[in-house]
Amino acid sequence: MLYAVRSATALNRLLDTLPVFAGDHRVRPVFTLVPGSDFSTDALAALDGAGARTIPWPDAVRGGHDLVVAASPNGPLHELTGPLVLLPHGAGFNKRLPQASTDDSASGLHPRQLLRDGVPLAALHALAHPDQLVRLAARSPAVAERAAVVGDPTLDRMLASRTRRERYRDALGTGGRRLVAVVSTWGPESLLERRPELPRRLIAELPYDAYQVALVLHPNVHSELGAFTLRQHLEPAFAAGLLLARPYEEWAAVLGAADCVLTDHGSTALYPAALDRPLIGCHEGGTELIPGSPMAELLSRVPRLTADDPLATQLDAAVAGHRPGATSALAAAAFAEQGRSLEHLRTRCYRLLGLEPYPGPVAVRPLPVPRISGQRPTALAARVEVRGGTVTVARYPLDGGPHGGHVVAEDGFSTLDEMRSAGLIHRRSRSASRESDTVWPHATWTAGDWTDHILDTYPGCRTAVAVLGHDHCVFRRREPGPYGRPLLSARIMTEVSRGEPWTRPDPAAVLSGVHGRLEESGCPPLPATIDCVVGGRRSTVRLAYVTDGEADGDAYAEL
């Protein structure tokens, strides 16, 4: 059988259906690249990377294939022999063809795409919802006679992967933060074209310890720009922590892990909607989106992002106002037969092959764990607010804008200029390991010596923090106490929220709150406690002097 690949987008759709023939030695798959697409380069590279056997197009049109499977009706598919199965290219049919008039039907349903010399192109036109069949019958009755509603294989993978949500978030480094996914289609009306500043603005305005931002781009954007240019365009946002999902599988895992999705009119957003994620619309109008389509209806029912209101306020309102089942109900207009698409495809494909289906159920492959991880900002600006007995900390990437507060730098990670401007400098402990006596040991500081060294070296630093563990830090303050610059201990106890995974805040963020509190009011008589809120999580910090009895565990702890 032959997989006819038009673009990277089409290839991704085809790969999601591979389990239909898994295990059957009677079926030998080969791939070919359908000529004529501007976005075929990445598809060929992906095929090479997967180790797929490819044949040139001239060899493909010579025939010998018992079944041809494609996910795009464009290109000279009529030159291929053998029954053609045409799979859905995306989540429904929501866009007009390029340069189409308002009377033209959706891309993927237009007769000039589905007919060749008046004859239906495909032996089986697979659709995801009965409404699509109705729309197809109105435009191309002959094609509709060969169409069938089978469901959406990509959605079924996402549904089967819901139990992996926490694993995805762990791999992304999300922690207790709210993961915000930004989805952009391609072309002049896309979010990335019309609002290219939005990813960086999100990174700059959203507190680092409360939010994580990921970008999901249409595969055509990856193909058109290339990885180098795309990274160059987005580098300031990457340096501040932006994640960019790869265009095969990883995008779906990221959307499965997301807490909220910002989207233009691209149909990709229907997938997180089917998973019942809160959505915010960013579409600014145009000619591409078809009124009354599932995506148009979805955008008309979800909140819209406004330019003037604070982003965090809009995101929090969308999440708080989300009613369970609301967006999945809207997505139901695009997806039917959920969880059964591969079974339907197998039945119909084997019928075209004239074979009995391979025995046993079709196993839906869950999405793999994402392999991306965001860069950490080299320094942060910490804004501290003291109200009554509670200290609230919000940290932001330093180059994101004027946030006020103090600069937080990390020894061994931040730049020299950042270290010189920092009010708080911290260093995390690491254990020296030695595989054999011939391996030279790591150079280490003790916590006591390092905190003294930092205050002596950087006159602008007011607090030097040695992070010894997720719940324990020791630090020195610049102002002399009754015993000079004493080494202080901070024990962090974080409240556990019932009914949700427990995550601890970054101890360096908590100590930013302690720093701000002491800067404002001075050091209270010790021992003392300070309540600190970071990223919505409340911790109680117990401050005490490091006594002689604790010296081995604190002052002499290795960094």
Side-chain angles (χ1 to χ4, degrees), residues 126-255:
L127 301 171
H129 193 276
D131 286 352
Q132 298 170 8
L133 185 56
V134 172
R135 294 172 66 186
L136 180 62
R139 298 289 298 182
S140 305
V143 177
E145 290 180 1
R146 301 186 181 187
V149 177
V150 302
D152 189 289
T154 301
L155 176 64
D156 286 353
R157 293 192 70 186
M158 297 179 72
L159 294 173
S161 304
R162 284 176 290 185
T163 57
R164 294 189 169 195
R165 175 174 163 83
E166 289 184 28
R167 289 187 61 195
Y168 297 156
R169 293 172 68 87
D170 287 344
L172 296 171
T174 306
R177 295 180 290 177
R178 180 169 286 167
L179 177 57
V180 180
V182 181
V183 178
S184 175
T185 186
W186 67 288
E189 295 182 15
S190 68
L191 185 151
L192 195 63
E193 285 289 333
R194 289 187 166 182
R195 305 183 71 171
E197 81 290 344
L198 183 59
R200 189 177 184 187
R201 184 186 166 196
L202 286 164
I203 290 287
E205 291 189 22
L206 299 178
Y208 179 76
D209 296 293
Y211 297 90
Q212 185 182 37
V213 182
L215 182 60
V216 174
L217 298 176
H218 192 284
N220 286 356
V221 179
H222 291 266
S223 296
E224 183 178 39
L225 295 180
F228 182 88
T229 301
L230 191 56
R231 176 157 291 277
Q232 183 73 9
H233 288 177
L234 295 170
E235 180 56 35
F238 285 145
L242 178 70
L243 302 175
L244 177 63
R246 294 178 179 87
Y248 175 55
E249 297 182 321
E250 201 164 65
W251 68 269
V254 167
L255 293 181

Side-chain angles (χ1 to χ4, degrees), residues 308-522:
D308 298 331
D309 295 327
L311 294 175
T313 301
Q314 297 183 68
L315 291 168
D316 292 345
V319 174
H322 176 70
R323 292 180 293 105
T327 52
S328 58
L330 294 171
F335 302 115
E337 301 296 329
Q338 294 186 17
R340 296 185 290 271
S341 63
L342 295 185
E343 288 286 355
H344 289 319
L345 276 174
R346 183 170 69 166
T347 298
R348 294 180 178 277
C349 287
Y350 273 94
R351 188 180 301 161
L352 291 172
L353 285 169
L355 297 173
E356 286 295 317
Y358 190 74
V362 181
V364 179
R365 294 181 294 122
L367 297 164
V369 173
R371 294 181 288 114
I372 53 172
S373 59
Q375 299 178 41
R376 284 191 297 134
T378 56
L380 296 163
R383 191 166 61 206
V384 178
E385 183 178 357
V386 181
R387 285 190 178 181
T390 300
V391 181
T392 302
V393 181
R395 300 191 301 175
Y396 304 86
L398 188 60
D399 63 352
H403 293 289
H406 60 270
V407 174
V408 181
E410 182 173 352
D411 189 24
F413 183 67
S414 300
T415 67
L416 181 59
D417 285 344
E418 291 165 345
M419 295 282 284
R420 287 172 172 166
S421 64
L424 182 148
I425 297 176
H426 65 91
R427 181 177 176 131
R428 302 178 192 273
S429 66
R430 56 182 172 87
S431 57
S433 60
R434 196 182 300 183
E435 295 180 0
S436 69
D437 291 337
T438 61
V439 177
W440 196 260
H442 294 291
T444 59
W445 285 95
T446 66
D449 287 345
W450 177 83
T451 51
D452 263 333
H453 162 72
I454 290 297
L455 294 177
D456 291 340
T457 306
Y458 300 101
C461 178
R462 301 284 297 168
T463 304
V465 179
V467 180
L468 304 183
H470 57 78
D471 60 356
H472 185 204
C473 302
V474 295
F475 66 100
R476 290 190 199 273
R477 296 273 296 153
R478 178 166 296 282
E479 69 271 12
Y483 308 104
R485 288 192 315 211
L487 192 64
L488 304 180
S489 169
R491 296 282 181 177
I492 304 170
M493 295 165 287
T494 302
E495 291 184 359
V496 179
S497 300
R498 295 176 61 86
E500 61 183 39
W502 179 43
T503 56
R504 299 182 178 93
D506 183 353
V510 175
L511 266 291
S512 276
V514 173
H515 168 86
R517 172 68 172 78
L518 299 185
E519 285 287 286
E520 179 175 293
S521 306

Side-chain angles (χ1 to χ4, degrees), residues 20-320:
V20 166
F21 303 103
D24 193 340
H25 295 278
R26 299 171 298 174
V27 177
R28 186 167 63 92
V30 293
F31 292 78
T32 193
L33 202 60
V34 182
S37 173
D38 294 333
F39 306 105
S40 59
T41 302
D42 279 8
L44 186 59
L47 286 170
D48 289 342
R53 186 189 172 210
T54 59
I55 59 174
W57 179 255
D59 292 346
V61 298
R62 292 193 183 102
H65 309 296
D66 298 297
L67 190 68
V68 179
V69 184
S72 169
N74 299 321
L77 293 175
H78 60 283
E79 297 179 13
L80 300 171
T81 59
L84 172 66
V85 175
L86 190 60
L87 301 175
H89 185 70
F93 303 93
N94 303 285
K95 285 185 180 182
R96 294 188 179 92
L97 285 167
Q99 290 84 45
S101 71
T102 56
D103 295 327
D104 282 331
S105 65
S107 176
L109 292 180
H110 199 284
R112 72 170 180 257
Q113 292 179 295
L114 305 177
L115 298 172
R116 299 293 189 274
D117 297 326
V119 178
L121 179 65
L124 170 63
H125 192 154
L127 301 171
H129 193 276
D131 286 352
Q132 298 170 8
L133 185 56
V134 172
R135 294 172 66 186
L136 180 62
R139 298 289 298 182
S140 305
V143 177
E145 290 180 1
R146 301 186 181 187
V149 177
V150 302
D152 189 289
T154 301
L155 176 64
D156 286 353
R157 293 192 70 186
M158 297 179 72
L159 294 173
S161 304
R162 284 176 290 185
T163 57
R164 294 189 169 195
R165 175 174 163 83
E166 289 184 28
R167 289 187 61 195
Y168 297 156
R169 293 172 68 87
D170 287 344
L172 296 171
T174 306
R177 295 180 290 177
R178 180 169 286 167
L179 177 57
V180 180
V182 181
V183 178
S184 175
T185 186
W186 67 288
E189 295 182 15
S190 68
L191 185 151
L192 195 63
E193 285 289 333
R194 289 187 166 182
R195 305 183 71 171
E197 81 290 344
L198 183 59
R200 189 177 184 187
R201 184 186 166 196
L202 286 164
I203 290 287
E205 291 189 22
L206 299 178
Y208 179 76
D209 296 293
Y211 297 90
Q212 185 182 37
V213 182
L215 182 60
V216 174
L217 298 176
H218 192 284
N220 286 356
V221 179
H222 291 266
S223 296
E224 183 178 39
L225 295 180
F228 182 88
T229 301
L230 191 56
R231 176 157 291 277
Q232 183 73 9
H233 288 177
L234 295 170
E235 180 56 35
F238 285 145
L242 178 70
L243 302 175
L244 177 63
R246 294 178 179 87
Y248 175 55
E249 297 182 321
E250 201 164 65
W251 68 269
V254 167
L255 293 181
D259 295 292
C260 185
V261 177
L262 278 62
T263 183
D264 56 16
H265 62 297
S267 58
T268 298
L270 285 163
Y271 291 105
L275 298 179
D276 205 34
R277 299 289 182 265
L279 264 69
I280 298 177
C282 303
H283 181 49
E284 297 181 349
T287 61
E288 291 183 346
L289 184 63
I290 298 178
S293 65
M295 194 61 211
E297 288 299 307
L298 179 67
L299 288 174
S300 71
R301 304 287 185 87
V302 301
R304 287 186 55 81
L305 191 74
T306 60
D308 298 331
D309 295 327
L311 294 175
T313 301
Q314 297 183 68
L315 291 168
D316 292 345
V319 174

